[in-house]
Amino acid sequence: MGRFDGRVAVITGAARGIGFGTATRFAEEGASVAIVDLDETAAAEAAARLPLVEGAKAIGVGADVADGASVDAAIERVVTELGGIHILVNNAGITRDNLLFKMTEEDWDLVMGVHLKGAFLMTKAAQKHFVEQKYGKVVNISSTSALGNRGQANYSAAKMGIQGFTRTLGIELGPFGINVNAVAPGFIATEMTDATAARLKMDVDEFRRLNAEANPVKRVGGPEDIAAAVTFLSSDEASYITGQTLFVDGGISLGV
Ligand code: NAP
């Protein structure tokens, strides 16, 4: 018996990277899974690769989490095609890094739109189902960059905003059987960090090696590290935990 047998999990930005790793873990443990991503074809291809258990289903849904109509349609499709919704992981993300004096208004708005407004819209659309059934789990993906990171004023503000959003919803939604938590990853080897290496004109392997060296546990993370934390916080074992942000970063945020 899996921890998520009979549950429906929705993961945004899950066509690749941390989202796909998390979707995979949910599928392995019995959930039906909706992969929500900008590109419907990529989402459907990723859904087809999930290791589902017998009786579980997976769908790929093309949606922009920063757009209210798109989000509402995505949640309705999930409920219709998978028979409900129990778990939401707000993972979709982008970076538009630059020092403040070079950061454009568009870069600011895009990052706020995907991370903060996206988490707000998705959670608002899901919570009406969660409240009706008096059951729901939300995990928001923050970042160690919330603590401050040169060149990421927009991303850092959005990721710290996610933590405040999480604490507030912990208070508001707790009485309805809904847990809301956040996971703050450190360096995770994905296309997002590969793109950072490219922006810094560094070789990807060298960038990973330097980040591993600087980390207390002497390695970088993989999507499976975040998947383990997200699935724990989405499980019934974690039903007395809400409003929290769990740093999954090999200890880099300890600042030693
Ligand atoms: P990734 O490999 O770049 O994947 C992000 C996914 O989100 C992509 O499939 C992307 O689609 C999708 N996406 C972007 N904008 C979207 C939108 N408006 N609506 C729906 N989907 C959208 O990134 P990742 O490294 O897995 O990161 C996942 C999450 O973890 C993000 O929130 C990120 O900020 C956070 N995080 C990552 C790290 C790290 O080291 N990797 C560290 C801390 C936090 P497209 O490809 O079509 O754009």
Side-chain angles (χ1 to χ4, degrees):
M1 183 151 159
R3 281 190 296 181
F4 302 109
D5 286 352
R7 301 287 188 218
V8 173
V10 178
I11 302 117
T12 67
R16 66 172 196 234
I18 291 171
F20 183 70
T22 301
T24 300
R25 183 77 190 259
F26 275 114
E28 284 168 351
E29 297 203 44
S32 286
V33 176
I35 288 196
V36 175
D37 213 294
L38 271 180
D39 177 353
E40 169 115 13
T41 308
E45 280 169 10
R49 286 190 279 125
L50 290 175
L52 296 173
V53 304
E54 207 179 317
K57 291 195 247 173
I59 58 171
V61 180
D64 178 356
V65 298
D67 178 84
S70 177
V71 163
D72 289 346
I75 294 290
E76 284 318 307
R77 203 179 134 197
V78 171
V79 170
T80 306
E81 293 187 26
L82 298 180
I85 173 171
H86 306 98
I87 297 158
L88 169 67
V89 183
N90 286 309
N91 167 80
I94 58 168
T95 52
R96 292 293 182 274
D97 298 350
N98 233 326
L99 292 174
L100 181 66
F101 77 102
K102 289 195 231 163
M103 189 173 284
T104 63
E105 189 175 343
E106 192 194 1
D107 288 342
W108 179 270
D109 287 343
L110 275 172
V111 168
M112 291 296 157
V114 177
H115 294 275
L116 266 186
K117 189 177 170 194
F120 158 68
L121 291 172
M122 286 295 300
T123 310
K124 190 172 176 204
Q127 64 87 38
K128 72 171 187 256
H129 301 281
F130 292 163
V131 168
E132 265 167 30
Q133 69 202 14
K134 294 267 189 296
Y135 185 93
K137 307 283 181 190
V138 180
V139 181
N140 299 312
I141 304 300
S142 178
S143 169
T144 49
S145 293
L147 304 174
N149 197 24
R150 189 178 166 80
Q152 290 197 313
N154 49 2
Y155 185 79
S156 171
K159 290 306 200 185
M160 193 52 110
I162 285 285
Q163 295 186 25
F165 179 66
T166 299
R167 291 173 65 94
T168 300
L169 295 192
I171 296 165
E172 285 188 22
L173 299 178
F176 301 98
I178 303 165
N179 299 75
V180 185
N181 289 291
V183 169
F187 188 108
I188 307 296
T190 68
E191 287 183 39
M192 183 177 274
T193 39
D194 290 353
T196 306
R199 188 174 54 79
L200 298 172
K201 299 189 176 28
M202 282 183 73
D203 174 66
V204 165
D205 290 336
E206 178 65 359
F207 189 53
R208 289 181 185 180
R209 193 187 65 71
L210 288 173
N211 275 279
E213 210 170 75
N215 192 290
V217 304
K218 300 297 169 201
R219 69 171 177 91
V220 297
E224 64 283 358
D225 292 305
I226 306 308
V230 171
T231 49
F232 167 64
L233 290 170
S234 303
S235 75
D236 291 333
E237 292 168 289
S239 61
Y240 202 50
I241 303 174
T242 201
Q244 304 302 307
T245 297
L246 176 62
F247 281 75
V248 181
D249 65 351
I252 195 78
S253 59
L254 299 171
V256 287

